[in-house]
Amino acid sequence: TGTDQSLVMAGATLLAQRGLVAIAEDSLEEFSLTDEGKAAAKGFPERKALAALKAAGGAAGFTELPKLLGKDDIRVEVKWLTKKGWCTRDAGMLAVSAKGEAALNAKGADESLVEKLAELGQATESELVAAGVDVKAALELLKGRNELLKRKKRVSRKLSLTEAGAALKSGGIEPAIEVNQLTPEILASG
């Protein structure tokens, strides 16, 4: 709304001290994507590598992988293919595992989270869960990939009238200016 939050909270705190309102606070975490996360939303590198390996017959040697993937540095792909259990490493070969075969037709929780954040821009855990994302599983899979997500702690505050506040409201409220420092003008006006 463009209102300075510190001024709103100062007023709310004053009203709470006078017993006119109650303040309920709820801490939450808000997620958004970094530039790397936005790039990953178009396709995780290990997903692209898994599809390329499958298209190449399900296995390839480490010397063939750069040509197969069209890039020289394949460490990220190999790391995540093996970490997720999508491929096995043996004698200089990388082969698609049964888990990798299953992953060809199903997105992981980490991919779902990143795609949903790309769509929403930012969201809290409860908003992501409501959108069908398994946030806990996604965050577990994204351990070691801190460069994809930005996380911010937020505090949500709700104000409600107390009985004393409601009684004052029903009796009619007259706006008044509070003075916390005397000025020459105030002294002169009485």
Side-chain angles (χ1 to χ4, degrees), residues 8-21:
V8 172
M9 276 313 298
T13 303
L14 180 65
L15 291 171
Q17 288 170 346
R18 293 182 179 173
L20 301 174
V21 298

Side-chain angles (χ1 to χ4, degrees), residues 6-187:
S6 61
L7 294 175
V8 172
M9 276 313 298
T13 303
L14 180 65
L15 291 171
Q17 288 170 346
R18 293 182 179 173
L20 301 174
V21 298
I23 302 173
E25 291 188 348
D26 188 24
S27 293
L28 46 100
E29 193 169 25
E30 186 177 79
F31 300 94
S32 60
L33 295 177
T34 62
D35 289 339
E36 291 90 348
K38 290 172 186 170
K42 296 175 183 154
F44 277 52
E46 65 270 21
R47 167 96 29 214
K48 293 174 183 175
L50 181 65
L53 273 171
K54 182 65 178 168
F62 286 114
T63 55
E64 302 166 43
L65 281 174
K67 201 179 327 164
L68 190 63
L69 300 177
K71 58 190 281 189
D72 292 332
D73 189 0
I74 58 166
R75 290 178 292 183
V76 169
E77 288 83 351
V78 172
K79 173 187 173 182
W80 288 101
L81 283 168
T82 55
K83 189 172 182 174
K84 288 182 172 183
W86 290 357
C87 288
T88 57
R89 292 172 69 158
D90 188 38
M93 293 288 289
L94 198 61
V96 177
S97 67
K99 193 172 181 181
E101 289 283 347
L104 283 166
N105 299 316
K107 287 195 170 145
D110 54 347
E111 295 168 293
S112 296
L113 172 73
V114 169
E115 286 177 7
K116 187 52 76 174
L117 284 173
E119 178 187 322
L120 299 174
Q122 63 188 24
T124 62
E125 183 173 350
S126 59
E127 291 168 337
L128 290 166
V129 168
V133 176
D134 185 349
V135 177
K136 297 215 184 310
L139 293 177
E140 187 63 34
L141 285 169
L142 289 170
K143 278 187 180 170
R145 283 187 152 167
N146 297 332
E147 74 279 1
L148 299 181
L149 292 180
K150 287 187 255 182
R151 299 167 86 159
K152 278 187 182 177
K153 295 281 185 196
R154 299 276 188 198
V155 177
S156 172
R157 294 179 182 92
K158 292 184 182 177
L159 305 176
S160 57
L161 284 177
T162 61
E163 287 183 27
L168 183 65
K169 180 184 174 209
S170 66
I173 299 173
E174 291 295 321
I177 296 174
E178 264 191 25
V179 177
N180 61 5
Q181 185 175 357
L182 291 175
T183 63
E185 293 81 17
I186 292 173
L187 291 172

